[in-house]
Amino acid sequence: MEQAQLETLLPDVQHLIELIIDNVNQLKDTQGLKAPARLDSATALFGGEGFLDSMALVTLVVAVEQAIEEKFGTNVSLADPGAMSQEHSPYRTIGALADYALRRLRAD
Amino acid sequence: MDAPVTLITGTRIGIGRHLAEHYLGLGHRVVGCSRAPVDWTREGYKHFETDVADEKAVKAMFSDIRRSYGHLDHLINNAGIASMNHSLLTPTSTVSAILATNVVGTFLLSREAAKLMKRKGYGRIVNFSSVAVPLKLAGEAAYVASKSAVVALTHVLARELAEFGITVNCVGPGPLATNLIRSVPKQTIDRLLARQAIPRMGTFDDVANTVDFFLRPESGFVTGQTIYLGGV
C-alpha cells in the first residue's frame, strides 16, 4: 500500500489521545482506578507525578492495544523495553503514549 | 608453573571488570571481552571487542587465545544483560537479546573453552545466574528464564565435561551496585533484599570470593553446583 493511502487509514494523534482518555475513564469506572478528574495529553501517567502504578500501567496499555485493534482494525504492540524507565518510558503522559502508539502503527 | 590463563566475559564494567582486576592481582594472565572497548588497561590483560553471542567472533577470540597462550585454565561467563519489565510490556526483541547474551553466550563460550581445556585435561568454568531465579522475581520474566537456563546448562555441562577434568559451577549474586540495577526503583531493591537471609546489597568481593572457591585446583570434586549469595 502507498504511504499516502496508509496515512489516511491511520488514526491521528488526537484520536489516539481520546481513545486513551476513554480507556482511563473505563478503568476508573470498572476497576476503581484513581485518576485526575481532568485528563488531557499532558496528564502524567507513569513515573514522577503519574497516577498509575506498574500493574495499572500494564492494564491500561493492554486495554489501549485492544481498543486500537477494535476501533481501527490494526493489531499493534505497545510493549517497550523502556517501559519501566522513569526518564525514557513512552508511557510518561497520555500524549507520549499517543505519540508512541502512532509511531508503532506507522512502523507495523 | 605458568601463571593461569583466565578468560572473563563482560569486563568493561561492573563485576567483570572487578574480577579481571582481582585475578590480575593474583598473577593470572587475564583475557577479557565486551561489546564495547574498555577505558582501562593493566599489564597482563588482553581485551577483545567481542559479542559473546557472535559465534564467528567468539571462535576468532579462542583461536587467538590458543595461539597466544596455548591453553585456557578458567572461564568466567559473567557477561549478561537484564530488562526490568512486566511480561505484557516486553517486546520479543528484548527477550531475544537477553537470551542471546545470557544463554547463547554462556553456551558458546563454554563450548569453545572446553575444547581448549580438554587438551590439558583441566579446566574451571564458572557461570553467572541470579537470586532472581529462586526468588521467582516478578517483572523480570525474560531475565529469570535466561538465568534459569544458565543453571540448567551448568548441570548438564558439568556432567558432559567431567571426564575432561573440567568443572562447571555457577554463582547467583543478589543485587549489587552495578549498571544492571541502576534503573530499578529503590523500593523494589529494598523488597528484594528483605527476602535474603542477610538483607544487604552484595559486594564485588562477595562474588570474587565465591568464584575463587570454584576456581581452586582443590575444588576438583565440586561441579554442577550453584551458590546463591545472601542466603536466598
Side-chain angles (χ1 to χ4, degrees):
Chain A
M1 188 180 294
E2 294 294 324
Q3 187 65 25
Q5 286 177 286
L6 185 65
E7 290 290 333
T8 61
L9 295 176
L10 290 176
D12 63 23
V13 76
Q14 191 54 41
H15 280 119
L16 291 167
I17 288 169
E18 288 164 14
L19 180 145
I20 293 164
I21 290 172
D22 282 350
N23 276 274
V24 171
N25 286 326
Q26 282 176 36
L27 293 176
K28 280 164 75 174
D29 294 341
T30 59
Q31 300 194 20
L33 179 69
K34 293 194 188 324
R38 180 179 155 74
L39 299 167
D40 58 31
S41 72
T43 304
L45 287 175
F46 183 68
E49 302 297 309
F51 61 90
L52 299 174
D53 63 20
S54 56
M55 280 315 296
L57 173 70
V58 171
T59 303
L60 176 66
V61 171
V62 172
V64 169
E65 283 181 350
Q66 291 170 345
I68 288 173
E69 184 170 2
E70 283 167 20
K71 195 159 183 179
F72 303 109
T74 305
N75 191 317
V76 67
S77 172
L78 300 180
D80 186 85
M84 297 301 161
S85 162
Q86 304 280 319
E87 294 166 18
H88 308 295
S89 171
Y91 316 128
R92 294 183 310 279
T93 63
I94 289 175
L97 177 54
D99 286 340
Y100 181 62
L102 192 56
R103 284 203 306 277
R104 295 306 304 258
L105 283 163
R106 283 177 173 150
D108 285 347
Chain B
M1 197 174 94
D2 281 346
V5 180
T6 300
L7 170 58
I8 306 170
T9 63
T11 48
R12 190 172 66 84
I13 52 173
I15 299 173
R17 176 174 176 175
H18 180 86
L19 290 173
E21 291 179 343
H22 174 74
Y23 288 111
L24 284 165
L26 293 177
H28 294 209
R29 291 172 286 175
V30 176
V31 180
C33 70
S34 59
R35 283 179 293 188
V38 289
D39 61 1
W40 60 276
T41 183
R42 284 273 301 272
E43 191 180 338
Y45 178 76
K46 182 169 189 173
H47 191 79
F48 290 84
E49 276 180 51
T50 300
D51 179 345
V52 293
D54 180 340
E55 184 167 15
K56 197 173 169 188
V58 167
K59 286 176 85 79
M61 177 171 72
F62 274 94
S63 294
D64 194 295
I65 292 169
R66 190 174 60 251
R67 282 195 303 272
S68 301
Y69 305 101
H71 71 281
L72 178 68
D73 298 284
H74 311 130
L75 166 65
I76 302 172
N77 274 314
N78 160 74
I81 57 174
S83 172
M84 184 85 185
N85 206 343
H86 193 285
S87 55
L88 298 190
L89 300 182
T90 303
T92 49
S93 58
T94 299
V95 179
S96 298
I98 289 173
L99 292 175
T101 296
N102 299 1
V103 183
V104 176
T106 297
F107 178 85
L108 185 53
L109 270 286
S110 299
R111 187 187 74 191
E112 295 305 309
K115 291 176 188 172
L116 206 44
M117 291 169 173
K118 180 174 176 291
R119 295 159 58 150
K120 198 173 160 186
Y122 178 90
R124 300 278 181 264
I125 296 175
V126 180
N127 295 328
F128 269 68
S129 184
S130 166
V131 297
V133 173
L135 291 177
K136 303 170 179 65
L137 204 60
E140 301 255 7
Y143 179 72
V144 170
S146 74
K147 291 301 187 180
S148 293
V150 169
V151 174
L153 267 178
T154 301
H155 291 156
V156 178
L157 292 178
R159 289 175 177 272
E160 292 186 353
L161 302 180
E163 65 180 290
F164 307 130
I166 301 168
T167 65
V168 187
N169 291 288
C170 189
V171 56
L176 280 83
T178 67
N179 277 0
L180 271 188
I181 64 162
R182 72 180 187 281
S183 61
V184 181
K186 184 177 180 302
Q187 283 176 314
T188 306
I189 297 295
D190 289 344
R191 279 200 303 273
L192 183 57
L193 293 180
R195 296 171 70 187
Q196 298 179 178
I198 304 168
R200 68 161 171 83
M201 294 275 276
T203 67
F204 291 146
D205 286 339
D206 293 325
V207 178
N209 177 54
T210 313
V211 178
D212 282 348
F213 168 68
F214 287 139
L215 294 193
R216 289 173 62 187
E218 296 83 355
S219 296
F221 200 46
V222 178
T223 195
Q225 304 303 304
T226 299
I227 292 183
Y228 293 111
L229 301 183
V232 171

